[in-house]
Structure formats: structure tokens, C-alpha cells
């Protein structure tokens, strides 16, 4: 099905699908930062077979990018070239088997996953309560919090490569590291299997309520943000070097340029107060990196994925 058809040569080269193609689709609407240009084409596959067939038949010179909830991604103002894939409801199921393994589609929000598993009195996925992304994004980012991460609970991930070949990956094949998965960028995850253990429902819910309250106190979760802007140089080690401390020490807490600001509450969070562009946010991030380098000698690495073209 084709929505909002315009005169786009690229569209004529794409394979027939049962899902939807949308031309010049605004991506700011789906991004946590609420910035960024358009996708040349936005593709929502009807199901896994539709995704497989699209990948097998899409000309190789057309770039393909996949997005989850866009809670860790800054889309540049010039938009994203080629096809952006957004997995929707057909990839949104959660199933729990007798071995307490949880199968979740890549489009399942982490919050929903944690809640549903808690309802089944199963423990292990509580940390997902505070992460506003999807299962697909969690696999790519090795999302984690409070001493846990995706790597510790994953048993399998399911994915398609750019040629449409299906891959079933065991956790140790993911190449997980701190906020990193080493698998090729062209892999599109369609789902994951997590191992849980029996737990006390009341305690699980209490722990999740605690996570939620602690988030509200320490992070600007109601703002237009992208979560942690830079990786902690000390990685997942709780005693390791923290990006926020370096940013604070370099005098950047609350630093504001126009509508782009380093949060006062958590100075590893970038905020869009309304009218900031992606360029404003990225520029402020680079100013912070330079100031931290000048002050402490540490070069911060972006955790936020920055994608797309600069505005012309
Ligand atoms: C308020 C706030 C708090 C946050 N707190 C945390 C936290 O505590 N811990 C933490 O780890 N993160 C945190 N984040 C960051 C973010 O939520 C996580 O990185 C999350 O896992 C990103 O998921 P997403 O679906 O939004 O991915 P996106 O931002 O859409 O994409 C991130 C990357 O994953 C890739 N990707 C997405 N879906 C797929 C797929 N199906 N197949 C292959 N690749 C895919 C994208 O191409 C991109 O490279 C926070 C963000 C915000 C805004």
C-alpha cells in the first residue's frame, strides 16, 4: 500500500509490499527530541514476511535505516536518505512460555515488557521499567540500568540482514559491550527471547515503582531529550568515571544556547526547550565535548546515535 504518493523516483524502484510506504514522512513527530527532517520513504512492514521480502528485493544502492522509539537518536535537520523502517504492531507481541522465557517483538516498548512480565510474577526485567525505548533499540544499544543490561537477560535475538536472510543469534554472539552491540549495522532485529526467574509480584512491583520514582527525581523525563548524551568513560562500572561528573566539573551544567540546553537536573541530558533544531543540539553537544576535553583531558563519546543529513 502506498500513502501520500508524490513524484518520487525512488518509490518506483522499491519492491511491492503489503505494508505501507509513506513519502517525505516527518520524523520529528516520532522522535523524543522532536527535531529532525523527513524520511525520503517511511516503510511500515505488514509482518515479518513482508519485511523479509522487502529486504530481499530492495535495490542495494538505496540506504535502509531502522528506528525504534527514537529515544536515543538525534535525527538531523536534513532528514534521512532512503528508506526508514519503523516496526509497528505486527512486531508488538509478548509471549511467555512454561520455562519462563519471554518472547517479545522488536516494537514492544521496554516499559510494557517490564509490566507484563511483572504481572506474571517473573523477575529479571524490572530495569526495563525506566527505559523509554523498544526491544529493538535495547538490543542495538545493550540498554541497561541499575546494574543490569539487556546482555544479562537475553538468550536469543532474531534478525534479518539487508539481503533478507534470517538470523537467530545467541546472546554470546551479539558482541555486547557497554551500550554497544557489535553485530553489523544492517541487521534489523524483529524480536528477542529473555530468561526470567520466579519472583514475588508485590516485591517486583515495589522495585519498579522505586525505579520510576528515582527517574522522576533525577532525570528530565518529561522533557524533549534523548537520554544519556555521552557514554560513561568508565563504562558500566558503578565506580567508573561518569560523563555527568566530567560535564559538571567543566562548568556545563545548565549551559544553554537558544532552545538547546544541558539539563540542570542531569547534566548528561540534552534538552530541546521547543525551538531547538537538531543542529543546535548537536552543536551544543560538541561544545560540551570540547570543554570537557579542555578541562579534564577526556574525550567523551556520543551515546546518542546521530543520523541523517545536515540541513542544506
Ligand atoms: C528519558 C530517557 C531515559 C533513558 N534512560 C536510559 C537508561 O537508563 N538506560 C539506557 O540504556 N538507555 C536509556 N535511554 C536511552 C534509550 O531509551 C535506549 O538507548 C533505548 O534502548 C533506545 O531504544 P529505541 O527503541 O528508542 O531506539 P532508537 O533511539 O530508535 O534507536 C537507537 C539505535 O537502535 C537501532 N534500532 C532500533 N530498533 C532497531 C531494530 N529493530 N533493529 C536493529 N536496530 C534497531 C537504531 O537504528 C539506532 O541505531 C533513555 C532515554 C531517555 C529519553
Amino acid at each position: 500500500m502506498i500513502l501520500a504518493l508524490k513524484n518520487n523516483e525512488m518509490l518506483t524502484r522499491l519492491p511491492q509490499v503489503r505494508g505501507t510506504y509513506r513519502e517525505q514522512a516527518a520524523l520529528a513527530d516520532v522522535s523524543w527530541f522532536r527535531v529532525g527532517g523527513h524520511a525520503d520513504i517511511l516503510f511500515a512492514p505488514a509482518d515479518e514476511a513482508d519485511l523479509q521480502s522487502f529486504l530481499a528485493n530492495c535495490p542495494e544502492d538505496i540506504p535502509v535505516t531502522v528506528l525504534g522509539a527514537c529515544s536515543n537518536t538525534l535525527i538531523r535537520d536534513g532528514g534521512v536518505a532512503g528508506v526508514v523502517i519503523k516496526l509497528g504492531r505486527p512486531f508488538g507481541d509478548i509471549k511467555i512460555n512454561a520455562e519462563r522465557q519471554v518472547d517479545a517483538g522488536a516494537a514492544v516498548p521496554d516499559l510494557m515488557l517490564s509490566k507484563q512480565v511483572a504481572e506474571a510474577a517473573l523477575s529479571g526485567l524490572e530495569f526495563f521499567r525506566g527505559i523509554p525505548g523498544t526491544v529493538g533499540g535495547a538490543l542495538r544499544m545493550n540498554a541497561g540500568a541499575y546494574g543490569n543490561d539487556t546482555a544479562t537477560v537475553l538468550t536469543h535475538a532474531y534478525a534479518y540482514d539487508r539481503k533478507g536472510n534470517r538470523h537467530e543469534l545467541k546472546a554470546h554472539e551479539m558482541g555486547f559491550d557497554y551500550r554497544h552491540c557489535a553485530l553489523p549495522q544492517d541487521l534489523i532485529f524483529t524480536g528477542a527471547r529473555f530468561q526470567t526467574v520466579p519472583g514475588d509480584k508485590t516485591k517486583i512491583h515495589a522495585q519498579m515503582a522505586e525505579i520510576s520514582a528515582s527517574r522522576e527525581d533525577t532525570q528530565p523525563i518529561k522533557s524533549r531529550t534523548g537520554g544519556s548524551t555521552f557514554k560513561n568513560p568508565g563504562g558500566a562500572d558503578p565506580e567508573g568515571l561518569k560523563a555527568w561528573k566530567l560535564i559538571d566539573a567543566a562548568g556545563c551544567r545548565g549551559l544553554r544556547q537558544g532552545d538547546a540546553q544541558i539539563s540542570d537536573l542531569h547534566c548528561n541530558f540534552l534538552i530541546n526547550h521547543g525551538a531547538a533544531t537538531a543542529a543546535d543540539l548537536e552543536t551544543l553537544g560538541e561544545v560540551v565535548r570540547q570543554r570537557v576535553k579542555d578541562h579534564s583531558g577526556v574525550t567523551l563519546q556520543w551515546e546518542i546515535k546521530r543520523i541523517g543529513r545536515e540541513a542544506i
Side-chain angles (χ1 to χ4, degrees):
M1 193 197 301
I2 298 168
L3 298 179
L5 183 63
K6 288 182 195 147
N7 183 18
N8 187 324
E9 204 185 309
M10 191 186 303
L11 200 52
T12 63
R13 299 182 56 220
L14 292 177
Q16 289 282 334
V17 290
R18 286 176 290 109
T20 55
Y21 288 133
R22 190 181 293 269
E23 280 188 272
Q24 292 301 308
L27 292 176
D29 300 346
V30 298
S31 147
W32 261 69
F33 273 120
R34 293 284 182 272
V35 296
H38 293 69
D40 287 347
I41 309 275
L42 187 66
F43 171 42
D47 51 31
E48 207 170 310
D50 199 31
L51 173 67
Q52 189 281 330
S53 159
F54 166 82
L55 291 167
N57 297 296
C58 178
E60 277 182 26
D61 62 313
I62 297 181
V64 173
T65 306
V66 62
L67 286 177
C70 226
S71 65
N72 209 209
T73 301
L74 181 66
I75 296 161
R76 293 198 177 102
D77 302 307
V80 182
V83 178
V84 171
I85 298 180
K86 192 114 168 71
L87 303 179
R89 276 205 189 141
F91 301 83
D93 285 345
I94 300 176
K95 287 189 189 122
I96 303 175
N97 69 23
E99 279 79 46
R100 304 183 192 91
Q101 291 164 328
V102 181
D103 287 317
V108 169
D110 298 335
L111 171 65
M112 186 192 288
L113 175 66
S114 66
K115 284 188 170 172
Q116 207 149 313
V117 169
E119 270 309 298
L122 295 174
S123 177
L125 307 191
E126 293 87 338
F127 70 96
F128 277 130
R129 169 66 183 85
I131 303 177
T134 60
V135 166
L139 292 169
R140 176 54 69 190
M141 301 303 299
N142 188 17
Y146 306 103
N148 277 311
D149 58 19
T150 306
T152 57
V153 286
L154 185 82
T155 70
H156 292 85
Y158 311 102
Y160 286 89
D161 64 26
R162 185 63 174 75
K163 291 190 161 60
N165 302 306
R166 188 173 190 273
H167 299 264
E168 190 170 316
L169 300 138
K170 297 199 176 80
H172 72 266
E173 294 171 312
M174 299 288 288
F176 278 137
D177 201 345
Y178 167 64
R179 303 291 172 268
H180 178 72
C181 156
L183 291 174
Q185 281 297 326
D186 72 343
L187 279 190
I188 295 180
F189 298 113
T190 50
R193 172 168 284 190
F194 301 101
Q195 186 64 58
T196 62
V197 294
D200 179 305
K201 203 166 163 176
T202 312
K203 280 191 190 150
I204 295 168
H205 278 299
Q207 192 185 340
M208 283 168 47
E210 215 173 284
I211 288 173
S212 171
S214 130
R215 294 269 157 170
E216 295 220 3
D217 290 346
T218 58
Q219 296 181 355
I221 54 170
K222 298 204 169 98
S223 303
R224 299 167 178 202
T225 180
S228 294
T229 308
F230 303 106
K231 294 187 183 192
N232 286 325
D237 178 1
E239 306 303 320
L241 207 50
K242 300 274 182 256
W244 76 263
K245 283 193 178 165
L246 294 167
I247 295 167
D248 209 9
C252 297
R253 181 182 289 271
L255 184 65
R256 184 164 178 163
Q257 293 184 350
D259 260 3
Q261 190 182 23
I262 296 295
S263 167
D264 268 321
L265 186 62
H266 189 315
C267 56
N268 196 20
F269 277 50
L270 265 174
I271 289 177
N272 170 15
H273 283 291
T277 61
D280 295 336
L281 292 159
E282 191 168 3
T283 302
L284 181 58
E286 287 299 334
V287 167
V288 170
R289 280 182 85 221
Q290 188 58 53
R291 289 200 188 177
V292 168
K293 176 127 180 58
D294 294 344
H295 184 264
S296 62
V298 177
T299 304
L300 292 175
Q301 303 300 324
W302 284 86
E303 177 173 324
I304 287 177
K305 303 276 186 192
R306 294 157 298 148
I307 64 167
R309 305 169 282 221
E310 311 278 345
I312 307 156

